[in-house]
Amino acid sequence: MSQNNVVQSKKIGLSLGGGAFRGLAHLGVLQALKENDIKIHRIAGTSIGALIGALFAFGVSIDKMIKTANDITWMSISRFRLSKMGLLANDELGDIIDDLAGTDRLIEDADIPLSIIATNLKTGRKVVLEKGSLRDAVIASTCIPGIFIPIKVDDTLLADGMLVENVPLSPLQNKKLDLIIAVNLTNKRSYGPPEDFVDIIINSLDIAVDVHTQSIIKSADIVIEPAVENFSRFDSGKADKFCQLGYKAAMSAMPEINRLLKKGNFFKKKINFIKRMKPFNLT
């Protein structure tokens, strides 16, 4: 088998991590993979990674996603709703899914197998959504706790998947994949000095998530880390910049990706740093 055929025969999984607006760097990563003929066979996404991963899995073009991203602000994807469960509702994010991927889409109908991570707020368990409403799954995975009102899916109250697996690698394990690529948006992040109790809460949450993420990304074959550490998760209006940073990081990783893909005896045993759990599907 020729080297090109060896590469083309490999099955690749892609994990897209959370990071709010910093996650627009995922679009640059996808563009670099496309330009280098790296075909993705399975996707897992958390938070903004769930949104972009879902759109990509349903065949929405990268150009269309970038165009939409340039018009997105916090106000365009949320609205104020006074509730004891949160300050904002993010139903408008579901409208983006409907507009780009189509209405009433089911996760299991994706062109590329898709897993979306959310958190069960009652049990604290990870929920891997692989069936059911695409719109509801993305809304659930992006419900930042304390800001967005959690969403009920089949009577289960769900919130942002970053709480349990911000870079979702566990859904890609044991899927007969030859290479797993992870995109982490929290590397070398600076939290800044807190100025009030809200900053203390946000910094504490970010630190806990980031420490956990550093341990789980060790199970990926390739980790792409765009240089977005100096940007806030709330930095809207910078889609082009985030895309450039994602593209640059992915292109830097391309020699190693190609090296691994061209190895004839690619299959190897490796330590799995993620506790394997059977996906909890909500339909």
Side-chain angles (χ1 to χ4, degrees):
M1 183 180 289
S2 69
Q3 288 279 26
N4 286 337
N5 287 336
V6 168
V7 171
Q8 292 299 318
S9 69
K10 300 298 184 183
K11 294 190 180 299
I12 303 170
L14 179 65
S15 170
L16 300 179
F21 277 101
R22 293 190 299 260
L24 297 177
H26 290 318
L27 296 174
V29 172
L30 290 171
Q31 182 64 41
L33 294 175
K34 178 183 177 182
E35 289 181 7
N36 285 271
D37 297 322
I38 305 297
K39 183 179 179 181
I40 303 303
H41 297 81
R42 183 174 287 272
I43 299 175
T46 295
S47 201
I48 183 66
L51 172 63
I52 292 176
L55 295 175
F56 186 75
F58 274 86
V60 179
S61 72
I62 298 171
D63 288 341
K64 183 175 286 188
M65 284 192 273
I66 292 174
K67 183 177 184 301
T68 301
N70 281 316
D71 297 328
I72 291 179
T73 64
W74 276 107
M75 296 307 297
S76 68
I77 60 173
S78 61
R79 56 189 169 85
F80 181 75
R81 183 192 291 174
L82 186 59
S83 167
K84 64 181 181 180
M85 305 296 283
L87 300 174
L88 303 172
N90 62 342
D91 297 352
E92 279 72 10
L93 196 62
D95 295 338
I96 294 176
I97 292 288
D98 291 343
D99 291 342
L100 296 181
T103 58
D104 300 324
R105 303 307 297 268
L106 299 175
I107 301 171
E108 59 265 37
D109 293 334
D111 299 330
I112 302 172
L114 173 66
S115 302
I116 293 175
I117 302 296
T119 303
N120 183 324
L121 286 177
K122 180 180 179 180
T123 66
R125 288 184 58 193
K126 172 174 57 185
V127 177
V128 182
L129 297 159
E130 296 178 334
K131 294 182 180 179
S133 168
L134 179 69
R135 177 189 174 107
D136 288 350
V138 171
I139 290 176
S141 186
T142 56
C143 278
I144 300 173
I147 297 177
F148 290 120
I149 300 169
I151 180 175
K152 275 192 174 183
V153 178
D154 286 350
D155 293 325
T156 302
L157 197 62
L158 301 180
D160 202 310
M162 71 173 178
L163 297 172
V164 287
E165 196 172 4
N166 197 42
V167 180
L169 288 162
S170 60
L172 302 177
Q173 303 293 329
N174 299 323
K175 300 294 186 181
K176 297 182 180 180
L177 296 169
D178 298 299
L179 185 74
I180 296 177
I181 301 172
V183 185
N184 176 32
L185 304 170
T186 64
N187 186 46
K188 299 179 181 178
R189 181 159 50 151
S190 174
Y191 305 98
E195 298 180 359
D196 53 37
F197 76 94
V198 175
D199 285 346
I200 291 175
I201 293 173
I202 292 176
N203 281 12
S204 299
L205 177 62
D206 284 344
I207 291 168
V209 169
D210 294 351
V211 170
H212 181 235
T213 298
Q214 288 304 312
S215 67
I216 65 175
I217 61 175
K218 294 175 183 178
S219 65
D221 297 299
I222 295 286
V223 180
I224 297 173
E225 296 184 317
V228 296
E229 62 272 9
N230 293 324
F231 295 89
S232 165
R233 68 169 71 244
F234 304 109
D235 277 337
S236 61
K238 298 179 180 179
D240 289 338
K241 179 62 177 178
F242 286 131
C243 289
Q244 291 170 8
L245 292 172
Y247 181 85
K248 180 179 180 180
M251 291 300 291
S252 296
M254 209 58 63
E256 181 64 8
I257 292 173
N258 283 320
R259 185 188 72 81
L260 289 176
L261 289 175
K262 289 176 181 177
K263 288 176 65 174
N265 57 342
F266 186 83
F267 285 108
K268 60 186 182 297
K269 293 182 179 179
K270 54 198 277 188
I271 298 174
N272 181 9
F273 288 86
I274 299 176
K275 182 180 179 182
R276 293 191 178 107
M277 297 176 63
K278 185 178 180 180
F280 182 72
N281 294 320
L282 295 179
T283 57

